Amino acid sequence: MRIWKTVVVAAVGGAWSLFVHGGAPAYADMMAACKSEISAQCNGVRKGRGRIAACLYAHPNKLSAPCAAEVEKVSNSRTTKAVIPAGVQKLSGSQYEGDLVKACGNDARKLCPGVSGNQRNLACLYSRSNQISGSCKKTADRVLKLLR
């Protein structure tokens, strides 16, 4: 659930960082433990704002046990919980969730083949946010404004 919420915020360029701020121990531990997974699964993903963590989250079946454990630690950090705006927390199960899935579905199929589930697809889209369509970004912006 956290990833879905975080991805929506990221898609509209919110001024916050996903998971943890760069340089924090949990993030550094994840980067070290997931070096081969980052190379294999996240090639072309820009570093910063939690994009690598989101990419790794999107591919749970392709993570080693040590990597998966570090991704879990990062996703459960207090920082992750603190950066999710209140309006976004209302998204899951709302009438707007389907709008966002519909607007971003083609992007998910193109950019995230083999990724299953709304949360993981949206995490993948966030990790590749520089490649998502204008309609996906526009819908995310509209949905967030309605949920405020």
Side-chain angles (χ1 to χ4, degrees):
M1 211 41 81
R2 281 186 202 93
I3 292 298
W4 166 263
K5 296 170 187 173
T6 304
V7 170
V8 173
V9 174
V12 296
W16 56 275
S17 62
L18 174 69
F19 296 121
V20 296
H21 301 289
Y27 185 79
D29 290 348
M30 181 195 71
M31 295 297 283
C34 300
K35 192 172 184 173
S36 64
E37 288 90 339
I38 292 167
S39 178
Q41 302 306 318
C42 306
N43 186 27
V45 172
R46 293 185 312 185
K47 289 185 179 179
R49 298 186 67 191
R51 288 181 196 94
I52 298 294
C55 175
L56 293 169
Y57 175 85
H59 300 282
N61 297 330
K62 297 182 179 180
L63 304 180
S64 65
C67 176
E70 293 302 323
V71 171
E72 182 71 18
K73 283 181 197 174
V74 170
S75 67
N76 287 323
S77 73
R78 283 184 281 171
T79 302
T80 298
K81 294 173 185 173
V83 300
I84 300 171
V88 176
Q89 302 203 18
K90 299 174 189 174
L91 179 63
S92 183
S94 75
Q95 65 191 40
Y96 307 114
E97 185 176 25
D99 294 345
L100 188 60
V101 171
K102 183 178 177 181
C104 299
N106 287 335
D107 292 2
R109 284 185 287 280
K110 176 183 170 187
L111 299 171
C112 307
V115 175
S116 61
N118 286 347
Q119 293 176 21
R120 300 215 188 262
N121 268 298
L122 290 169
C124 178
L125 287 173
Y126 171 66
S127 73
R128 299 182 185 282
S129 58
N130 62 322
Q131 300 171 40
I132 63 174
S133 68
S135 64
C136 180
K137 288 179 187 178
K138 183 177 177 181
T139 300
D141 186 38
R142 179 182 58 80
V143 166
L144 281 177
K145 285 179 183 174
L146 291 170
L147 291 173
R148 286 187 188 155

